[in-house]
Amino acid sequence: MLEGMTTRDPRATALARLAALFADETRAACLLALLDGRAWTASELARHAGVAASTLSEHLGRLVAGGLLAEERQGRHRYVRLADARVAQLLEDLAAQVAPGAAVRPRTLRESSAGSAMARGRTCYDHLAGRLGIAVTDALTARGLLEQDTGFALTDAGLAWFASAGIGLERRGRRPLARGCLDWTERRPHLAGVAGAALCRHALNAGWCVRIGSERAVKVTVAGERALFDLLGVASTALR
């Protein structure tokens, strides 16, 4: 070893391998699709990415081996999902950084409509994002239920609000109760963490929101508009 040369950080190899997993457009497309929080079959992802099933299988193998995806098998079907919330956070953070320079004009009316729907409201792995996510986050903050001064934190009033709304907060593991997640369309943080996931799950189960299309887009229902106004004072105009 040359005099004065420092030993290479042992994390360098692992970091390079992780970056290599993202450095392919097909794998990136699959990872972004899986941000909807659901499990997809290999054939569904192949159609989404526009590649042959055999090609997609090789990519999925690398993502599973690299710890970014978890695999499940049911009979003849192979399902994959994001490994955990930490992978989703990393993916969303990366997407937020590249989105401004990567924006392209929609090529078709369908692409334009899908993009508008995603910006209006979508799921970000297991929590609400887009204008919907921001509107809910702003309402929680304005009512003193959520603090954003030094990171996201639910107040005592916020904990009571979740309980009164019938939204259980299962605080298990190391996942934070509340966390800010940078919204790649709004360029502001929305609520993630245990509280964000619980709120999103409740919104879907209670029929406040419904999934639309094959992407992550969600639409607020009439019942949802009424509930969000009654519980948080969110105006329906902020959800459209």
Side-chain angles (χ1 to χ4, degrees), residues 57 74 84 91 95 99 105 129 140-141 172 223:
S57 180
Q74 292 186 8
D84 52 38
L91 184 58
R105 290 179 62 86
L140 288 168
T141 304
R172 295 181 298 182

Side-chain angles (χ1 to χ4, degrees), residues 118-233:
M118 287 277 283
R120 183 168 53 248
R122 64 183 182 278
T123 54
C124 172
Y125 185 52
D126 60 359
H127 54 272
L128 299 173
R131 291 198 297 275
L132 168 60
I134 294 297
V136 170
T137 300
D138 285 350
L140 288 168
T141 304
R143 294 196 165 207
L145 309 178
L146 175 69
E147 290 183 345
Q148 298 189 41
D149 296 337
T150 56
F152 275 38
L154 289 182
T155 63
D156 289 341
L159 292 171
W161 180 88
F162 272 85
S164 65
I167 305 175
L169 298 176
E170 298 181 10
R171 287 182 277 185
R172 295 181 298 182
R174 295 184 297 175
R175 192 178 189 187
L177 181 60
R179 177 182 68 81
C181 178
L182 182 62
D183 197 295
W184 60 265
T185 53
E186 296 299 304
R187 310 302 297 167
R188 296 174 53 205
H190 55 245
L191 176 64
V194 172
L199 184 56
C200 178
R201 184 168 56 249
H202 185 82
L204 290 169
N205 291 340
W208 296 358
C209 301
V210 292
R211 297 185 184 275
I212 55 176
S214 59
E215 298 288 345
R216 295 183 280 143
V218 296
K219 179 182 179 180
V220 180
T221 64
V222 173
E225 290 185 358
R226 186 181 308 115
L228 289 174
F229 180 78
D230 291 343
L231 291 172
L232 289 172

Side-chain angles (χ1 to χ4, degrees), residues 24-109:
D24 179 273
E25 190 170 351
T26 296
R27 291 196 292 274
C30 292
L31 290 168
L32 288 171
L34 290 167
L35 267 176
D36 68 356
R38 295 178 289 182
W40 289 48
T41 65
S43 57
E44 288 171 337
L45 283 173
R47 288 194 298 271
H48 177 80
V51 298
S54 57
T55 300
L56 196 281
S57 180
E58 180 180 348
H59 286 298
L60 293 184
R62 292 191 61 180
L63 292 171
V64 171
L68 296 182
L69 297 186
E71 183 180 25
E72 302 173 7
R73 290 189 180 272
Q74 292 186 8
R76 295 179 300 170
H77 295 290
R78 176 193 189 190
Y79 292 87
V80 292
R81 64 170 70 247
L82 294 184
D84 52 38
R86 291 177 298 175
V87 173
Q89 178 183 344
L90 173 61
L91 184 58
E92 189 72 11
D93 288 346
L94 287 172
Q97 295 303 316
V98 302
V104 295
R105 290 179 62 86
R107 293 170 295 181
T108 64
L109 179 59

